[in-house]
Amino acid sequence: MRARYPRLWLMTDERMGDALVPALLRLPPGSGVVFRHYSFGARERRALFAQVRRIARARGLVLVIARPAHIGRGHGVHGTVKGHGLRTWPAHDRREAVAGARAGAALLFVSPVHPTRSHPSAPALGIARAAAIGQGLGVRLIALGGMTPQRFRAARALGFYGWAAIDALT
């Protein structure tokens, strides 16, 4: 039997500001969080990660860390970050999806499925093209980019395991 992974993920982002903690508190137990906040300085990022980790532990959330991972420990890592536990991976095209599968990723975050405010200049893949990116790799797909619960229903019909968002969860 394959392991169960979160179907709903929050991608943290500097733009969230004060909306981050309320978003974490609204996530159902068992949801996932990819901690990013790339532009923060080391001390500020470490302090915010510690706060997010406390909330994740208290709420039963799965927490993975995107680069750089030296700020603390979660349940795993996102992308090429060295670390242990659950590995998730960003996939914007087939090449990145194959790299993620080869790296042992359990989940591929395929994006941007729809137009998104976080990457306004990136052309949206569309749901069918996004699904094709990870087809046949044996890795569960997470739809990211302009996702909502309604859009996930369509994505699920094409084989997506779960979905992730920033704005839709704040």
Side-chain angles (χ1 to χ4, degrees):
M1 176 184 228
R2 288 174 67 170
R4 290 184 56 103
Y5 300 108
R7 290 185 184 269
L8 175 62
W9 289 81
L10 172 68
M11 307 293 284
T12 75
D13 187 288
E14 292 84 347
R15 295 177 301 117
M16 295 177 83
D18 292 338
L20 174 60
V21 170
L24 291 167
L25 296 175
R26 279 193 304 272
L27 286 173
S31 297
V33 178
V34 177
F35 184 82
R36 299 181 310 163
H37 281 77
Y38 300 128
S39 69
F40 280 24
R43 181 176 290 147
E44 184 181 14
R45 191 166 189 255
R46 195 173 291 116
L48 182 59
F49 177 77
Q51 180 183 14
V52 169
R53 184 174 54 199
R54 280 191 300 277
I55 294 169
R57 283 181 177 158
R59 306 242 334 114
L61 305 175
V62 174
L63 177 61
V64 298
I65 306 166
R67 66 174 162 76
H70 63 276
I71 58 170
R73 259 184 101 96
H75 296 99
V77 293
H78 182 71
T80 59
V81 174
K82 288 183 171 49
H84 302 286
L86 173 64
R87 177 168 300 281
T88 65
W89 197 272
H92 303 93
D93 56 36
R94 180 69 178 186
R95 181 186 55 76
E96 289 178 345
V98 169
R102 286 183 178 154
L107 301 168
L108 294 176
F109 285 74
V110 181
S111 72
V113 176
H114 299 284
T116 176
R117 195 166 65 101
S118 62
H119 296 86
S121 62
L125 296 165
I127 195 66
R129 196 160 132 225
I133 284 175
Q135 191 172 23
L137 295 177
V139 180
R140 292 182 175 171
L141 305 180
I142 304 295
L144 172 63
M147 292 303 298
T148 64
Q150 297 78 16
R151 286 178 168 173
F152 175 58
R153 283 195 278 283
R156 193 168 188 180
L158 289 177
F160 277 88
Y161 175 78
W163 66 285
I166 300 169
D167 292 338
L169 299 174
T170 56

